[in-house]
Amino acid sequence: MPPSPSAPPPNPIPPDGGWGWVVVGASFISIGFSYAFPKAITVFFKDIQQIFNTTYSEIAWISSIMLAVMYAGGPISSILVNNYGSRPVVILGGLLCCVAMILASFSTSVIQLYLTVGFLGGLGLAFNLQPALTIIGKYFYRKRPMANGLAMTGSPVFLSTLAPFNQYLFNTYGWKGSFLILGGIFLHACVGGSLMRPVDLKEHTSQSKNTIAAKEDSGIKKASKASTIGKINKYLDFTLFKHRGFLIYLSGNVIMFLGFFAPVIFLAPYAKDRGVSEYYAAALLSVMAFVDMFARPIGGLIANSKLVRPRIQYFFSLAVMFNGVCHLLCPLADSYTALVVYAIFFGYGFGSVSSVLFETLMDLVGAARFSSAVGLVTIVECAPVLLGPPLAGKLVDITGDYKYMYLASGAIVVTASIWLLIGNAINYRLLAKERKKEKGRRKRSASPSKETEPLSKSKHEELSVEVSKVHSIPSEKGREKERESNI
Amino acid sequence: MSSLSGLRALRALGAPGHPLLLLCLLSMMRSSLADGNLTGSPFTSLRLREEMLAKYSNLSSVIHNISLTEHSSVPVEKNITLERPSVMELQCQFTTSGDLNLVNVTWKKGDELLENNYPVNITGNTFYTQYMFTIINSKQMGSYSCFFGEEKELRGTFNIKVPKVHGKNKPLITYVGDSTVLKCECQDCLPLNWTWYSSNGSVQVPIDVHTNDKYVINGSYANETRLKIKHLLEEDGRSYWCSAAFQLGESEEHIELVVLSFLVPLKPFLAIIAEVILLVVIILLCEVYTHKKKKDSDDGKEFEQIEQLKSDDSNGIENNAPRHRKNESANQ
């Protein structure tokens, strides 16, 4: 049975290869910067704290502000991508980050660092993250999970290279020079952005047989433009909040992120608390990052296989459950080797979840609405991502033992996975029912117009061999019905 | 040994609040000295006096112990940090299976042999010896060793030093026109005084705080000192020494300050910008080039298609299917 994902393939069928792999490389760079930089910059904190004469928690706010703005800037990024495409937004993001770091090198107070690195830098990273994810959906369909997995590998690779590189820069140029040079490094995101060519739509619009469909398509667009809600939805698709799959994904992820990042942040302090030396505690994080690096492409490969792709939501839920179980079992680790084993399993779980994190969203809402979806998802996820670690820290302070924090995180993550499993099982079943109805309806509508239909149908059979027939879009009638089935 | 027992008696009498009693004993001891009854030497009386001084001013007593066996091949060392004048009691014990009566024990300070009237105690297989003295100034600091001589000499060393001061291991990198803060701290100790020097090569020049406001020395707590240097110039990039003065000596640490001009990181930055601009231009040019190529070939193909469609339309729709499919596969 060919893979039948929840959402139909995009209207111009993606090329699935060729220049697409170059775009994956460009996304690798953008995603790498977005996720790795807020963590890698913590290398400077200890020394900056002394220079600016502040407490460590005040300096750590820089990272939190950066992450918060990166997530909150999602909708702005989505609106820009919806209107201008990925390339200009990524180039703008790279320039913003560069300017932010250059300004930061001249700053004289912590507040200025908050504004430059935190706010401006976070915005630039937001303009990098969303378009990079969106353009993968435009270039890939059959191999999309693989492409997503490979692109998400950017995060651990950049983290393992940026962290020691930052240390080297600091030892050679001090913090001012380091920020200046990092500004230059950020410009490579612009290089990546210039590689993100918009997908060529000419082949489809130039064919005369499709002009009829195109005209009718533009007719629908004009109708929706008239209403203001339609206008807003053109910029940022708020109708997604009526989308069943989207809501399941959003709710599950919000629960998951509450307990997702805290174990990473507290791994080194937990190890030190158990009596492990500082160097070996840091080595645990390196082990985790190393396993993460390989888990992401492997996760992408597994998700792309014929067996898993139709049930990719289950794969995601199971990966989340794997993470949760790891955290629940962590307090049992009583020796350094046991902690290393935990780090390996955790790294694998973290990588698996991250590799399909956005692929599952694409799978649910389809590539066309993905850019709006990812913007809305990130701004809502902003809250649990930021609240999770401080809450976990408070839990540690109250109970005095890291064990309870791990148990709590594990429980939260397992709950999220069960929620996702049940929700997606229901969703899959309902989608299958809707597809059957759709098939029946189309068969009935196909009988009166036998002369015109077979041509267009056979043409699309050629184009979409591996996509099930139901998802081919021969006429505007079918398109409307597709939209309905997903709401 | 008898002097020591006398000292012990003094200690037993105890409180420094008995000056009269002490004076009485002192005079007694002096008289007995004159008689030559004590086996001690002038060194002993000196030690006695120091002991009493110590008791009087309520000094702390520090006791340290080293254990040696006949199998100890590596010289055993113990590091002791002292801040204030104290009464030191160094104990060595030696365990052997051989005949303990043959063991010859000596105490040395560095290479200098110390007086041989230290108490020795033999219990079972273990040989105990002890050396007591007072440390008042820096001259008494150093390495004290106990030697057990048989066939081979076994040695245990007590290294008595002032506490170490911590600065920064790595050089501090700053830029021209900046101000920076150099920090020295001493953990768990309280120096009497901190001094800062700057050195260019071997000459140490103390830092003048009063000439202009370029240098400001202040410490938040007494175990920490900070030197703030404003309006940095390139000549300011040298070694700075912070020195902590204790009653028993001084402890130093040096911090390296590097002052760079802003051009230093600017060069790699401009190089990176140049590289990025080059890459972007190459990529965009490549794209324009392939776009042109495609357009030319596409225009050609479109022309062919339009011609075919014109001829197809005249033939009828049914015949279109196979030819149209062929066109599609060619375009893909």
Side-chain angles (χ1 to χ4, degrees):
Chain A
M1 191 188 114
S4 53
S6 323
N11 190 0
I13 302 292
D16 259 304
W19 189 253
W21 295 113
V22 180
V23 170
V24 168
S27 298
F28 182 93
I29 297 173
S30 286
I31 293 174
F33 275 126
S34 304
Y35 278 117
F37 191 72
K39 295 180 210 159
I41 204 179
T42 55
V43 168
F44 295 113
F45 283 176
K46 210 172 170 196
D47 300 285
I48 291 181
Q49 171 208 344
Q50 287 180 357
I51 294 169
F52 284 98
N53 224 359
T54 56
T55 61
Y56 189 81
S57 59
E58 280 183 27
I59 287 286
W61 270 103
I62 296 177
S63 211
S64 309
I65 292 177
M66 203 175 197
L67 212 60
V69 174
M70 183 174 97
Y71 271 71
I76 306 172
S77 190
S78 302
I79 295 172
L80 289 172
V81 171
N82 280 339
N83 282 314
Y84 301 108
S86 293
R87 177 190 263 176
V89 185
V90 174
I91 293 180
L92 177 66
L95 285 171
L96 268 177
C97 284
C98 175
V99 167
M101 294 311 285
I102 295 175
L103 286 175
S105 71
F106 289 107
S107 57
T108 51
S109 76
V110 189
I111 307 281
Q112 289 177 3
L113 279 178
Y114 289 161
L115 289 172
T116 50
V117 180
F119 191 78
L120 210 58
L123 198 64
L125 290 181
F127 288 175
N128 263 300
L129 181 65
Q130 264 80 323
L133 294 166
T134 310
I135 202 166
I136 293 177
K138 292 196 182 140
Y139 264 92
F140 286 90
Y141 183 69
R142 283 176 293 156
K143 298 191 188 145
R144 197 176 60 198
M146 187 72 232
N148 260 314
L150 279 174
M152 293 297 279
T153 316
S155 171
V157 168
F158 265 65
L159 185 59
S160 356
T161 38
L162 265 183
F165 182 67
N166 279 358
Q167 192 64 54
Y168 161 76
L169 277 181
F170 184 77
N171 289 343
T172 325
Y173 297 104
W175 70 274
K176 279 196 173 183
S178 304
F179 278 4
L180 191 68
I181 293 178
L182 279 174
I185 300 284
F186 265 122
L187 283 179
H188 288 91
C190 293
V191 174
S194 61
L195 285 168
M196 294 182 183
R197 286 185 204 166
V199 183
D200 213 356
L201 306 169
K202 279 174 64 194
E203 287 160 34
H204 294 273
T205 52
S206 66
Q207 282 154 23
S208 51
K209 291 288 176 184
N210 250 357
T211 46
I212 309 161
K215 274 185 194 161
E216 294 177 296
D217 195 14
S218 56
I220 301 166
K221 276 199 179 150
K222 277 181 192 159
S224 65
K225 260 187 192 171
S227 64
T228 43
I229 300 175
K231 237 185 183 172
I232 295 172
N233 280 340
K234 193 169 91 80
Y235 284 97
L236 194 63
D237 198 356
F238 281 101
T239 60
L240 279 166
F241 283 109
K242 289 192 222 159
H243 190 292
R244 187 178 54 232
F246 178 76
L247 288 172
I248 296 172
Y249 179 87
L250 188 62
S251 48
N253 274 32
V254 162
I255 303 173
M256 179 187 79
F257 274 115
L258 265 177
F260 198 61
F261 287 116
V264 190
I265 294 174
F266 287 103
L267 184 60
Y270 175 59
K272 278 185 228 170
D273 192 60
R274 284 296 196 101
V276 179
S277 78
E278 202 172 300
Y279 175 73
Y280 283 107
L284 279 176
L285 281 170
S286 310
V287 165
M288 212 202 96
F290 189 73
V291 177
D292 188 7
M293 228 185 277
F294 290 100
R296 294 195 192 205
I298 293 174
L301 199 66
I302 297 175
N304 217 141
S305 63
K306 266 196 182 159
L307 190 65
V308 179
R309 181 116 194 246
R311 306 170 192 96
I312 200 173
Q313 305 294 333
Y314 293 139
F315 175 72
F316 180 57
S317 317
L318 287 174
V320 174
M321 189 181 279
F322 180 79
N323 259 317
V325 167
C326 273
H327 298 327
L328 286 174
L329 293 177
C330 177
L332 293 175
D334 50 1
S335 66
Y336 184 68
T337 359
L339 277 175
V340 170
V341 169
Y342 165 73
I344 293 174
F345 277 104
F346 181 29
Y348 187 75
F350 194 83
S352 304
V353 170
S354 304
S355 65
V356 286
L357 187 65
F358 292 107
E359 170 58 34
T360 44
L361 184 59
M362 269 189 226
D363 181 70
L364 284 166
V365 304
R369 301 165 89 184
F370 178 74
S371 66
S372 309
V374 75
L376 294 170
V377 156
T378 50
I379 196 171
V380 175
E381 277 174 9
C382 198
V385 165
L386 285 176
L387 287 176
L391 281 175
K394 254 221 165 105
L395 189 66
V396 173
D397 288 335
I398 293 173
T399 58
D401 193 353
Y402 285 91
K403 168 170 80 168
Y404 297 106
M405 188 268 298
Y406 274 97
L407 288 174
S409 302
I412 293 173
V413 171
V414 168
T415 316
S417 73
I418 295 174
W419 169 261
L420 282 168
L421 262 173
I422 298 175
N424 281 308
I426 300 174
N427 192 32
Y428 272 141
R429 214 159 281 178
L430 289 172
L431 280 174
K433 266 192 209 164
E434 283 160 10
R435 254 181 242 136
K436 271 191 190 159
K437 267 194 214 164
E438 174 85 34
K439 238 184 182 172
R441 220 177 287 161
R442 203 167 281 141
K443 271 188 182 156
R444 273 179 270 131
S445 66
S447 31
S449 54
K450 255 187 188 165
E451 284 135 22
T452 48
E453 281 299 309
L455 281 167
S456 38
K457 249 193 185 164
S458 59
K459 176 171 69 176
H460 285 279
E461 264 175 56
E462 286 283 310
L463 290 170
S464 49
V465 171
E466 299 211 20
V467 175
S468 67
K469 266 192 210 164
V470 185
H471 292 298
S472 64
I473 310 167
S475 63
E476 47 104 21
K477 224 186 189 179
R479 208 175 297 126
E480 264 184 329
K481 293 230 172 76
E482 295 285 353
R483 261 198 217 122
E484 278 172 49
S485 68
N486 276 330
I487 289 170
Chain B
M1 247 192 272
S2 47
S3 60
L4 266 162
S5 50
L7 284 170
R8 277 214 196 87
L10 271 171
R11 192 173 286 141
L13 282 173
H18 291 276
L20 268 172
L21 209 58
L22 274 167
L23 278 167
C24 282
L25 281 162
L26 247 175
S27 53
M28 271 170 62
M29 294 221 149
R30 215 177 272 156
S31 54
S32 51
L33 241 175
D35 289 346
N37 274 348
L38 281 174
T39 50
S41 61
F43 188 67
T44 325
S45 69
L46 197 70
R47 275 173 54 213
L48 210 64
R49 218 185 303 151
E50 285 179 26
E51 263 281 352
M52 285 185 283
L53 258 166
K55 267 286 90 161
Y56 210 100
S57 36
N58 213 357
L59 289 175
S60 51
S61 175
V62 180
I63 303 173
H64 285 279
N65 195 336
I66 284 185
S67 294
L68 289 168
T69 64
E70 54 189 350
H71 308 292
S72 313
S73 49
V74 183
V76 181
E77 290 200 17
K78 196 162 188 183
N79 292 321
I80 306 167
T81 52
L82 271 188
E83 250 183 87
R84 289 177 289 278
S86 335
V87 174
M88 298 298 297
E89 193 171 314
L90 303 173
Q91 297 167 346
C92 276
Q93 65 187 52
F94 177 56
T95 316
T96 183
S97 46
D99 191 0
L100 287 167
N101 289 315
L102 298 174
V103 174
N104 193 8
V105 64
T106 50
W107 281 90
K108 278 190 187 174
K109 178 183 185 294
D111 285 326
E112 180 193 316
L113 191 67
L114 298 167
E115 277 305 312
N116 57 347
N117 46 5
Y118 10 85
V120 169
N121 190 353
I122 300 180
T123 318
N125 264 354
T126 322
F127 194 98
Y128 291 96
T129 181
Q130 176 183 300
Y131 185 62
M132 266 202 326
F133 61 106
T134 326
I135 298 188
I136 295 185
N137 57 32
S138 56
K139 284 186 231 148
Q140 285 125 20
M141 305 288 276
S143 291
Y144 291 79
S145 314
C146 59
F147 286 87
F148 292 97
E150 261 187 346
E151 298 111 33
K152 49 177 179 166
E153 277 226 325
L154 290 166
R155 171 183 175 174
T157 315
F158 298 89
N159 295 317
I160 310 177
K161 296 183 201 155
V162 277
K164 277 208 87 168
V165 170
H166 301 283
K168 217 174 193 174
N169 315 352
K170 303 181 286 185
L172 192 64
I173 301 179
T174 50
Y175 289 89
V176 175
D178 274 353
S179 56
T180 182
V181 173
L182 302 173
K183 196 174 86 160
C184 266
E185 69 167 2
C186 184
Q187 288 164 333
D188 311 321
C189 55
L190 218 67
L192 300 168
N193 201 3
W194 287 96
T195 340
W196 282 93
Y197 301 93
S198 80
S199 95
N200 218 345
S202 53
V203 181
Q204 278 194 351
V205 176
I207 291 187
D208 191 359
V209 198
H210 306 292
T211 341
N212 47 14
D213 64 340
K214 186 178 167 99
Y215 300 104
V216 175
I217 300 180
N218 65 355
S220 329
Y221 333 98
N223 67 338
E224 195 180 79
T225 181
R226 289 179 205 221
L227 171 68
K228 183 166 186 179
I229 312 178
K230 297 186 209 166
H231 314 299
L232 282 164
L233 304 163
E234 280 200 44
E235 306 97 59
D236 290 325
R238 35 195 148 97
S239 274
Y240 288 82
W241 295 81
C242 65
S243 164
F246 299 96
Q247 275 177 303
L248 301 173
E250 278 186 359
S251 179
E252 280 190 330
E253 180 62 86
H254 95 283
I255 301 175
E256 182 89 34
L257 185 69
V258 176
V259 183
L260 302 169
S261 84
F262 216 76
L263 292 173
V264 174
L266 200 65
K267 279 186 238 157
F269 176 69
L270 292 173
I272 294 174
I273 290 187
E275 173 224 336
V276 166
I277 293 177
L278 193 69
L279 282 172
V280 172
V281 164
I282 292 175
I283 290 168
L284 291 177
L285 280 177
C286 270
E287 182 175 335
V288 168
Y289 180 66
T290 48
H291 205 68
K292 261 192 184 162
K293 244 178 138 181
K294 226 189 199 176
K295 219 178 176 182
D296 290 339
S297 66
D298 261 357
D299 281 339
K301 274 190 190 153
E302 248 188 59
F303 189 67
E304 277 178 44
Q305 271 188 8
I306 292 170
E307 293 290 303
Q308 262 204 341
L309 285 168
K310 279 189 189 158
S311 56
D312 281 346
D313 276 337
S314 58
N315 283 343
I317 300 168
E318 294 302 325
N319 291 340
N320 240 354
R323 228 180 262 163
H324 209 68
R325 237 187 239 140
K326 275 195 197 147
N327 272 344
E328 288 307 309
S329 48
N331 275 348
Q332 290 303 319

